Amino acid sequence: MDIAVLVKQVPDTYSERKLRESDWVLDRDAADAVIDEIDSKGVEIGLQLTEAHGGQVTVVTMGPDRAKETLRKALAMGAHKAVHVVDDAFAGSDALQTSAALAAALKSLNVDLIITGNEATDGRTASMPAMLAERLGLPSVTSVVGITIDGQTITAERVVEGGAANVTATLPAVVSVNEKIGEPRYPNFKGIMAAKSKPVAVLSAADLGLEPGTLGLANASTQVVSGSPRPMKSAGEKVTDDGAGGTGIAEFLVTQRLI
Amino acid sequence: MAEVLVLVEHADGQVKKVTGELMAAASRLGSPVAVVVGAAGTAAGLAEQLGAAGAAKIYAAESADPLELLLTPQVAALAAAVAVAEPVAVLLAATFDGREIAGRLAVRLDSGLLADVVDVAAEDGVVIATQSVFGGAYSTRYQVTKGVPVISVRHNSIEGAAPAVSSPEIVVLETTVDPATATTVTKWLPEEVGDRPELGGAKVVVSGGRGVGSADNFHVVEELADQLGGAVGASRAAVDSGYYPHQFQVGQTGTTVSPQLYVALGISGAIQHRAGMQTSKTIIAVNKDPDAPIFEIADYGVVGDLFTVAPQLASAVKARKG
Ligand SMILES: Cc1cc2nc3c(=O)[nH]c(=O)nc-3n(C[C@H](O)[C@H](O)[C@H](O)COP(=O)(O)OP(=O)(O)OC[C@H]3O[C@@H](n4cnc5c(N)ncnc54)[C@H](O)[C@@H]3O)c2cc1C
Ligand SMILES: Nc1ncnc2c1ncn2[C@@H]1O[C@H](COP(=O)(O)O)[C@@H](O)[C@H]1O
């Protein structure tokens, strides 16, 4: 079973993430760029499934040149090959355009299963798996905490706000993983060395057959109107408990009319 | 007035609170119109509630067993309603389900998608949606420049209500779902819904972290939440240690909350936790470590043991209520 796993490079959630004050888009220089944790979990599930059922894992990313670091990380974990969707003409793409480019790349891979994260930590859009499934005419099995595949049948436990469900769908399909699905493996030294010689295919807009007049910020379906930084809260009063810490909070809440 | 479609969230014959918020948002842009997906008779059963929430009309897509297919019936219903109504915008709740439906719909309509917005407005006839970025560190305003804006709106972020309508008209939609795209539910595993308010919309949230130490100890957090009439939340460390179920996680990869009052018990205040709660109006922190980063954003912090401070606070609140 051949699997494509989508991996996105995002600003590290441990650092202070910033928008550029000129155009309110992500300031790529402000924070370290890392593979989104959720996508490393996607890679892990992809590897487990190919270990059990055979086949190869291809990791796919769309992003600027340096996003290839993210592909290397996934290759070091054990993915077999990689696809980098990259073109200057993609700069400023919105979700609709990104889904069109990724869907074109995925179509050319012709895999049985596509795995993504359920929600990227930068945009929190949580829509890409469904958008890809819609473009490719496939089922979307989202936010799963466990998945098994038997022949052409996927069974999974899906967890979202308000409840969970056991669900089933037929391959080929798009599956998105929930962070509670388990921890990803760490690349070992051997994996890191092997990753250096694994194939990374680079696909441009022209390679994917995308119309130039549909690409990039100028043709995006959403546009920033304005932005503003929001002042963060600053520290208020801090007291050390002297035996009346709880009562002190209650008194504070009274002054704030909260109780 | 032009229509604004709202996908209705409902369960057991009740319209959910977020639907009222979406109706209020819709009324700023045009005439709110409800889209109901459910078993036969659902729309008629919900009509009175939806009218009270401001729905001028109801589009109904009803089928024998709508709960069996996951989300594709909602996409089909909205697409059919868009074709009839030519609306100004489509609004959905920014839940995982809502954002998934929105993603499919945006592709089907070849339209701009804005996820998890916290405000909407019409400015010179243009729909403007505001997003809160990186846990509220920025606010950005967007417009959709292609197609019908498909917008998911965060819980508890829209104030006010749409004017009530008496007996809204029900319009039946015929829809079909492509079986090739079907995900089927074989078993619902419903969450226990207790008496506490829902985390995303609660006015008061009391959260416990790794410092709570065990699942058994979490009753200390629950008792304070109950005295304050609030919801219970948890840090990821508390969830991953098995102290509290995962749907209660607050933070970057959990629920974003913005209550009037947030109480953090035994939570260090990691940046990813703060990303889900730092826009709360008033923040109280109790932590043994005077250098815990949570104190940097706390309006009132107590350096102390949560097991003595929290019960004392709970009894002080109780005493005040008399
Ligand atoms: C991609 C990503 C996403 C993440 N998403 C989230 C998220 O959504 N939500 C989230 O919470 N975290 C998230 N995290 C994890 C985050 O980095 C922290 O690990 C986590 O928030 C720590 O939880 P904690 O504060 O409960 O635990 P700790 O950091 O271990 O803190 C426990 C605190 O309890 C205090 N304490 C101990 N005993 C007592 C006592 N008796 N009385 C008072 N205080 C006591 C200690 O002093 C300490 O400060 C994410 C991380 C990543 C990488
Ligand atoms: N540019 C991208 N490149 C690769 N994968 C992506 C990209 N954008 C989104 N994804 C995938 O889609 C998932 C959900 O993203 P989102 O819908 O943006 O929240 C992510 O966890 C990734 O797996």
Side-chain angles (χ1 to χ4, degrees), chain A residues 11-21 23-27 37-38 41 94-96 99 118-135 137-143 145 155-170 172 176 178-180 183 214 219-254 256 258-259, chain B residues 16 70-72 75 94-97 99-108 110-116 123 128 131-146 152 178-191 204 228 236 239-240 246-247 249 251-256 260-261 263 270-272 275-276 278-286 290-291 295-305 308-310 312-313 316-317 320:
Chain A
D12 192 346
T13 57
Y14 283 105
S15 52
E16 195 193 340
R17 297 172 290 172
K18 288 194 169 145
L19 298 182
R20 228 161 40 194
E21 302 216 353
D23 52 7
W24 306 107
V25 300
L26 176 64
D27 183 345
E37 183 194 67
I38 193 69
K41 296 184 177 189
D94 62 17
L96 200 61
S99 68
N118 63 349
E119 172 183 84
T121 49
D122 54 354
R124 303 201 68 171
T125 314
S127 298
M128 194 54 65
M131 295 177 97
L132 295 171
E134 181 70 18
R135 287 195 187 277
L138 301 178
S140 38
V141 184
T142 49
S143 224
V145 293
T155 42
E157 182 179 344
R158 176 177 193 263
V159 177
V160 296
E161 315 90 330
N166 292 335
V167 299
T168 165
T170 306
S176 81
N178 180 302
E179 70 168 17
K180 303 304 178 209
E183 294 306 314
T214 64
N219 301 296
S221 61
T222 60
Q223 302 284 343
V224 183
V225 178
S226 65
S228 53
R230 198 188 145 124
M232 274 300 126
K233 274 189 116 72
S234 47
E237 204 178 330
K238 183 166 78 178
V239 301
T240 300
D241 184 27
D242 55 1
T247 332
I249 299 174
E251 283 159 11
F252 177 79
L253 295 180
V254 171
Q256 302 297 304
L258 284 163
I259 53 171
Chain B
K16 293 201 183 160
L70 210 57
L71 309 183
T72 42
V75 180
T95 52
F96 273 102
D97 285 355
R99 286 177 292 168
E100 175 164 357
I101 296 164
R104 274 199 189 262
L105 185 69
V107 167
R108 202 167 296 181
D110 197 21
S111 291
L113 169 75
L114 293 171
D116 199 25
E123 291 175 19
I128 304 286
Q131 286 173 324
S132 171
V133 183
F134 298 150
Y138 295 88
S139 177
T140 49
R141 295 162 73 249
Y142 271 87
Q143 82 182 79
V144 166
T145 49
K146 182 179 188 185
S152 62
D178 177 1
T181 63
T183 297
T184 310
V185 176
T186 50
K187 188 174 181 201
W188 289 100
L189 310 165
E191 238 162 53
V204 175
L228 291 166
R236 184 160 98 170
V239 170
D240 288 352
H246 121 219
Q247 62 270 27
Q249 182 172 318
Q252 173 70 54
T253 47
T255 302
T256 300
Q260 297 294 316
L261 174 62
V263 182
I271 194 162
Q272 297 94 346
Q278 62 196 357
T279 62
S280 304
K281 274 248 168 56
T282 299
I283 297 172
I284 306 285
V286 180
D291 298 322
F295 289 125
E296 292 163 17
I297 56 162
D299 297 281
Y300 190 91
V302 174
V303 180
D305 188 337
T308 55
V309 176
Q312 191 179 65
L313 171 56
V317 175
R320 232 191 112 71

Side-chain angles (χ1 to χ4, degrees), chain B residues 210 235-236 249-253 266 268 272-273 287 305-306:
Chain B
R210 202 196 313 262
S235 72
R236 184 160 98 170
Q249 182 172 318
V250 170
Q252 173 70 54
T253 47
S268 62
Q272 297 94 346
H273 186 79
N287 197 302
D305 188 337
L306 74 91

Side-chain angles (χ1 to χ4, degrees), chain B residues 11-97:
Chain B
D12 307 323
Q14 295 298 312
V15 170
K16 293 201 183 160
K17 175 169 167 277
V18 68
T19 300
E21 296 165 10
L22 296 177
M23 292 289 175
S27 68
R28 299 178 190 169
L29 311 176
S31 170
V33 171
V35 179
V36 171
V37 179
T42 305
L46 298 178
E48 200 181 310
Q49 292 174 57
L50 290 172
K57 193 197 277 182
I58 300 170
Y59 290 112
E62 298 182 340
S63 60
D65 201 350
L67 286 180
E68 206 175 278
L69 275 187
L70 210 57
L71 309 183
T72 42
Q74 284 84 340
V75 180
L78 287 170
V82 166
V84 192
E86 297 182 19
V88 187
V90 179
L91 305 183
L92 311 89
T95 52
F96 273 102
D97 285 355

Side-chain angles (χ1 to χ4, degrees), chain B residues 177-218:
Chain B
V177 173
D178 177 1
T181 63
T183 297
T184 310
V185 176
T186 50
K187 188 174 181 201
W188 289 100
L189 310 165
E191 238 162 53
E192 265 180 60
V193 275
D195 296 334
R196 297 193 184 97
E198 200 190 341
L199 181 58
K203 294 204 162 56
V204 175
V205 176
V206 181
S207 290
R210 202 196 313 262
V212 176
S214 73
D216 285 346
N217 289 345
F218 239 81

